[in-house]
Amino acid sequence: MTSTQIEAVEGDITTQRVDAIVNAANSLLLGGGGVDGAIHAAAGPALLEECRALRAGRWHDGLPVGQAVATGAGDLPARWVIHTVGPNRHRGQTDPALLASCFSASLAVAQEVGARSVAFPAVSAGVYGWDAGQVATIAVETVRSWTTQESHGIQLVRFVLFGRPVFEAFQQELAD
Ligand code: ADP
């Protein structure tokens, strides 16, 4: 089993030179605001085409909260975008297991496609209303436990955080 480096950086996930970047998508998979909008804007129309194809097929009714699916990455430096749907606090989705599932399901998909490095944003810490500290706790705990329990080839997990406070929340969690 590969030992995994887990780190946090402050920055823009769209510019990361990693194998896969995770998108905090919504269930419809057709783009939106926040990091989803930034990823679609940077990836270009090829990503939207692939997302439309997913909606035309297996994910006709949308991707459920806590699940993950991979597409290509269009014009991005990454090879894959892994779309996951975080729980939306404003819709009463407050179960930490749903958020943990976003991270573990994304890692399982990364492993499936053969990614060796993966970047995550702070899923649900934006429009979906979760506290950044809580997201950091769940994200770090889930990634640590998945990477030590599962058999995989993922060498690097990088949290890419937008803004100082979110970055510091992850840094603090990683230091514990
Ligand atoms: P959600 O709907 O899951 O809450 P958002 O995109 O609204 O998703 O926010 C999730 C996190 O992603 C927030 O901390 C937001 O500041 C951050 N974010 C927005 N744009 C980017 C980007 N380009 N790179 C990394 N993180 C980003």
Side-chain angles (χ1 to χ4, degrees):
M1 168 144 61
T2 308
S3 78
T4 309
Q5 182 183 338
I6 305 173
E7 62 185 28
V9 301
E10 189 179 349
D12 177 353
I13 203 165
T14 64
T15 63
Q16 298 298 309
R17 298 192 171 274
V18 288
D19 293 339
I21 66 168
V22 174
N23 180 17
N26 57 54
S27 170
L28 300 180
L29 295 175
L30 299 176
V35 72
D36 194 7
I39 289 172
H40 273 274
L47 179 60
L48 189 56
E49 271 313 301
E50 284 200 57
C51 288
R52 285 202 175 112
L54 289 175
R55 285 296 308 285
R58 175 154 185 218
W59 302 113
H60 193 266
D61 297 327
L63 184 67
V65 175
Q67 296 198 32
V69 62
T71 62
D75 298 336
L76 295 172
R79 273 181 75 184
W80 297 281
V81 176
I82 298 171
H83 307 264
T84 190
V85 182
N88 184 348
R89 259 196 183 272
H90 306 302
R91 291 197 183 150
Q93 293 162 350
T94 57
D95 181 359
L98 281 175
L99 186 56
S101 172
C102 292
F103 291 92
S104 54
S106 296
L107 288 171
V109 169
Q111 163 67 7
E112 239 168 71
V113 297
R116 300 206 298 184
S117 52
V118 185
F120 279 99
V123 178
S124 288
V127 173
Y128 282 2
W130 283 62
D131 171 72
Q134 205 180 354
V135 174
T137 303
I138 292 166
V140 169
E141 191 183 294
T142 306
V143 169
R144 275 186 178 147
S145 100
W146 192 94
T147 53
T148 49
Q149 283 166 25
E150 305 290 327
S151 171
H152 64 86
I154 298 170
Q155 295 168 348
L156 172 70
V157 173
R158 179 183 293 154
F159 295 108
V160 182
L161 295 322
F162 221 46
R164 202 76 198 166
V166 190
F167 168 67
E168 281 173 359
F170 275 75
Q171 276 288 74
Q172 196 181 326
E173 204 58 46
L174 284 169
D176 285 348

